[in-house]
Amino acid sequence: DAMVIQNPRYQVTQFGKPVTLSCSQTLNHNVMYWYQQKSSQAPKLLFHYYDKDFNNEADTPDNFQSRRPNTSFCFLDIRSPGLGDAAMYLCATSRQTSGVTKNIQYFGAGTRLSVL
Amino acid sequence: AQKVTQAQTEISVVEKEDVTLDCVYETRDTTYYLFWYKQPPSGELVFLIRRNSFDEQNEISGRYSWNFQKSTSSFNFTITASQVVDSAVYFCALSPGYSSASKIIFGSGTRLSIRP
């Protein structure tokens, strides 16, 4: 059974037209992450939510926003997609407690975004 | 600096051959975690193993084995008797030190092709 679910699997949008990608989880994990992965590259962390606290990576463009209305759901909003934003977007979750324990991240199958 | 290097961009072997994927990491932290993930063509990143910096014991799981050597900052992954289903991109990753969440630094990945 899928534990981190991303919808849709494929998304086509037009240049400049806002788009929202969704992620849900059944693991009850307190941390959720969004990664961008371009072809033949490693995933790049955009931001993460630790519970309700939003943590943006320093080099994430302002064009990318995120919402986490509850524990189970997290959304990635791209306000004005450009051609360079075409990529696979991966959602991940982990259970994190205070201290040094580095818990495993569980990934969804990703949403492949095309920008026309 | 925190960095993961996977020098092998692509590897192609014939089915049933053994294959080793190399991973070298850099960190100044004394506490850190290392991971291997598999990304099949479907796109989902699949967790394979986690190892903390205080545990240099090698691990075997079926046809998979991992060799962690702090002296050379390496965490290599060997597949014995490879199968076509092992074809995927494999990422080595590092989660350094203390942080509020399990932030992961990925290597650039090794694309493994197993030919029948």
Side-chain angles (χ1 to χ4, degrees):
Chain A
D1 292 336
M3 296 178 289
V4 182
I5 304 163
Q6 291 189 243
N7 285 306
R9 290 294 312 277
Y10 301 91
Q11 176 75 54
V12 180
T13 190
Q14 293 179 339
F15 183 94
K17 184 176 181 181
V19 64
T20 294
L21 310 181
S22 72
C23 177
S24 63
Q25 54 135 336
T26 59
L27 298 166
N28 202 32
H29 284 172
N30 60 333
V31 188
M32 295 187 76
Y33 310 78
W34 279 104
Y35 289 85
Q36 180 192 63
Q37 186 180 24
K38 296 189 175 180
S39 181
S40 300
Q41 295 184 19
K44 177 181 179 299
L45 182 65
L46 295 173
F47 25 60
H48 73 273
Y49 272 95
Y50 189 119
D51 295 323
K52 295 182 179 180
D53 294 331
F54 178 70
N55 298 272
N56 200 31
E57 293 301 298
D59 57 354
T60 298
D62 292 340
N63 196 28
F64 292 87
Q65 304 287 322
S66 185
R67 296 169 284 134
R68 189 180 186 186
N70 54 53
T71 300
S72 300
F73 285 88
C74 195
F75 300 98
L76 170 62
D77 300 311
I78 308 177
R79 295 192 297 186
S80 182
L83 298 179
D85 296 328
M88 173 77 88
Y89 290 88
L90 295 163
C91 174
T93 73
S94 70
R95 177 176 297 283
Q96 187 71 27
T97 56
S98 61
V100 305
T101 302
K102 298 301 180 181
N103 290 307
I104 301 160
Q105 290 189 24
Y106 295 91
F107 285 80
T111 295
R112 187 169 297 281
L113 178 69
S114 299
V115 181
L116 304 179
Chain B
Q2 321 280 6
K3 187 179 179 182
V4 177
T5 300
Q6 294 180 254
Q8 304 151 308
T9 305
E10 293 191 34
I11 299 176
S12 180
V13 300
V14 176
E15 197 172 19
K16 298 184 182 179
E17 288 186 13
D18 299 346
V19 58
T20 295
L21 309 182
D22 298 333
C23 173
V24 174
Y25 63 92
E26 296 177 30
T27 180
R28 293 182 179 177
D29 295 317
T30 55
T31 302
Y32 53 89
Y33 284 71
L34 296 166
F35 303 82
W36 276 95
Y37 280 87
K38 173 183 180 180
Q39 188 174 39
S42 59
E44 180 179 356
L45 276 160
V46 179
F47 166 78
L48 296 178
I49 189 172
R50 176 186 67 181
R51 174 68 70 227
N52 75 54
S53 52
F54 300 108
D55 181 6
E56 287 193 71
Q57 185 174 7
N58 293 328
E59 182 158 340
I60 298 174
S61 176
R63 296 184 297 105
Y64 295 172
S65 62
W66 291 269
N67 184 347
F68 177 28
Q69 292 193 347
K70 288 180 73 172
S71 60
T72 56
S73 296
S74 65
F75 186 42
N76 297 336
F77 172 31
T78 297
I79 301 175
T80 303
S82 61
Q83 299 176 3
V84 173
V85 293
D86 296 326
S87 297
V89 180
Y90 290 86
F91 290 97
C92 180
L94 166 71
S95 186
Y98 296 76
S99 71
S100 63
S102 305
K103 295 180 68 173
I104 289 181
I105 298 165
F106 286 93
S108 55
T110 297
R111 182 176 299 277
L112 177 64
S113 298
I114 310 298
R115 307 189 305 273

